[in-house]
Amino acid sequence: FKGGCGTGKTTILLSRAIKLARVYPQHRFAIFVSSKKLYNQLKEEIDILYKENSNLEVHTLATFLFKLAKKFDLIADYRLFKQDYEKYLNNLIKQARNVIKNKNMFKGVFIDEAENFKHEEIEFISEFLYKTKNIFDVYYCDALNITNDLNIFKNKQDIKPDKMVYLDINYRQSKSLVDFVNKFCQNSNSYIRDLRPLINHDIYSLTKPIHKKGQDPEIIKVTDLEEQIESILWEIDYLTNKKGLDYTDIAIVYPYNKKKLKNGKTIYFQYILRKALEEAKIPYMIAEDEITKITKKVGITISNIYGIRNLEYKAVIFCELEMLYNQTISDTKQDYQINDFVGDLNKIYLALNVPTEYLKIITTFNEDSSEIIKILIKSRQ
């Protein structure tokens, strides 16, 4: 199942998994996700929707490997876990392959956020299916890969599916936001293809709106960090007092909590933002892994790109885009620079898809200093 943000991938996965688990109560099923946030969300939703559940598990790759280690007495060196997490997981995968002879555990396996899994990890998970009469569903969106493993030039050895389902109906956003995000997708695809014509597939997928038009997104230019904070507070006031939104309907999103500058100094943006909100007596909460779509919110949510994934809000104030490291490509002959630039475009794409009605982008950069801002402004025109 392939589709852009808001096309119902996780909803379809969950409904299929629960239905099949009910139809085959004597068999086991497993859902795999890449983030702890979605792991927590799915466990909460299954507790509500499938209360009699005894045969449907939810895992990240790590929780699954820890369970295997305990059950099959794999050698778990927790010192290595603290030193090198990825090396530790790879070591457990090798042990599992060598030690566990009968891996026929699940009749069905469902992988969400598959863009964040390595091909060999998906292959490893598939080894725990029944050898015949199994169900193996994979759900993904290429543009949501914000991991260090992103490689747009690598020839993917994807598992060849019996069937491909393309999802393109956007159930989340207003028509105005969908139109803007679609233009961003088209402009980003064109930008990449102009630099590397050999990349013959679109990284960013378009979607079709079903909701009413809504308000057009805004790109607000400011002169410095202080004015950016003032603009954030002004937008909060506008959204709550003019548009009738509650604080819990709003998220403030920024790339990173802090960033080290070339001059050696570090900007602690989350600290600066929190201090400003406290002085303005605006309640807020930080988007930790425990916060899911169905968590009761207290005040405005503030989050970096990684914490906001799998959440949605009526309004998003997206700020401090200056923190992104790849504003331009200094040497277009270098594949790694193009790849890193796409990684930052993916972060932008993720943030643009969090709001359902209102999007405010606040930046000190202009088209001359940032290709990212140029693409966003072009998408807004």
Side-chain angles (χ1 to χ4, degrees), residues 23 72 230 246 251 318 372:
V23 170
F72 295 97
E230 289 175 1
D246 191 83
F318 188 25
I372 286 177

Side-chain angles (χ1 to χ4, degrees), residues 3 75 87 101 141 152 154 166 220 251 286 355-357 371:
I75 299 171
K87 187 176 180 181
K101 302 304 178 186
C141 171
I152 63 172
K154 186 177 180 182
Y166 295 95
I220 302 153
I286 302 171
T356 61
E357 296 179 31
E371 290 294 327

Side-chain angles (χ1 to χ4, degrees), residues 59-289:
H59 288 292
T60 62
L61 182 60
T63 63
F64 182 61
L65 285 168
F66 294 157
K67 185 175 181 178
L68 293 179
K70 187 175 181 180
K71 183 175 181 180
F72 295 97
D73 294 323
L74 305 181
I75 299 171
D77 187 346
Y78 290 101
R79 291 173 301 174
L80 183 61
F81 171 70
K82 291 181 179 179
Q83 293 170 5
D84 192 330
Y85 179 75
E86 192 168 328
K87 187 176 180 181
Y88 175 76
L89 289 189
N90 288 334
N91 178 268
L92 286 181
I93 288 174
K94 287 179 183 177
Q95 288 187 64
R97 280 192 158 133
N98 293 331
V99 173
I100 305 171
K101 302 304 178 186
N102 180 10
K103 297 192 184 74
N104 302 338
M105 293 184 183
F106 304 114
K107 181 174 181 63
V109 165
F110 308 83
I111 301 181
D112 204 359
E113 305 178 318
E115 66 277 356
N116 294 322
F117 285 85
K118 297 176 183 176
H119 172 73
E120 51 268 27
E121 291 171 346
I122 294 177
E123 207 169 51
F124 169 73
I125 292 169
S126 72
E127 293 173 14
F128 291 86
L129 281 162
Y130 294 172
K131 298 308 174 194
T132 59
K133 296 183 179 179
N134 60 53
I135 298 123
F136 189 38
D137 284 3
V138 176
Y139 300 74
Y140 72 102
C141 171
D142 285 330
L144 287 179
N145 186 343
I146 56 172
T147 67
N148 293 329
D149 294 316
L150 173 68
N151 189 337
I152 63 172
F153 301 101
K154 186 177 180 182
N155 290 323
K156 292 186 177 180
Q157 298 175 319
D158 291 331
I159 295 169
K160 300 295 183 242
D162 295 323
K163 183 180 181 181
M164 277 290 296
V165 178
Y166 295 95
L167 306 171
D168 63 356
I169 302 298
N170 193 310
Y171 299 97
R172 180 186 299 169
Q173 296 185 301
S174 68
K175 184 179 184 302
S176 297
L177 286 179
V178 174
D179 289 345
F180 173 68
V181 174
N182 279 344
K183 288 177 183 175
F184 174 83
C185 291
Q186 290 171 325
N187 291 331
S188 297
N189 285 331
S190 298
Y191 186 87
I192 297 161
R193 200 170 290 116
D194 287 344
L195 293 174
R196 290 294 183 275
L198 291 177
I199 298 178
N200 55 11
H201 65 281
D202 285 342
I203 295 173
Y204 302 93
S205 301
L206 308 188
T207 63
K208 300 173 184 175
I210 60 171
H211 297 302
K212 61 184 181 181
K213 183 171 172 54
Q215 182 169 311
D216 290 332
E218 292 183 63
I219 299 175
I220 302 153
K221 293 185 182 180
V222 294
T223 56
D224 54 28
L225 179 57
E226 184 179 349
E227 193 176 331
Q228 191 160 184
I229 294 294
E230 289 175 1
S231 185
I232 290 169
L233 297 177
W234 190 93
E235 291 297 340
I236 292 171
D237 181 69
Y238 169 78
L239 290 167
T240 53
N241 293 322
K242 300 294 184 182
K243 293 298 178 180
L245 269 59
D246 191 83
Y247 284 140
T248 57
D249 296 325
I250 303 169
I252 304 172
V253 182
Y254 38 88
Y256 313 112
N257 294 340
K258 61 182 181 180
K259 179 184 177 181
K260 192 169 184 177
L261 304 176
K262 291 180 180 178
N263 61 13
K265 293 183 179 180
T266 301
I267 292 180
Y268 294 90
F269 182 74
Q270 188 191 88
Y271 170 78
I272 296 170
L273 176 62
R274 289 172 64 179
K275 188 177 178 183
L277 292 173
E278 287 163 7
E279 288 177 354
K281 293 183 170 52
I282 297 173
Y284 68 88
M285 63 189 299
I286 302 171
E288 307 290 356
D289 287 337

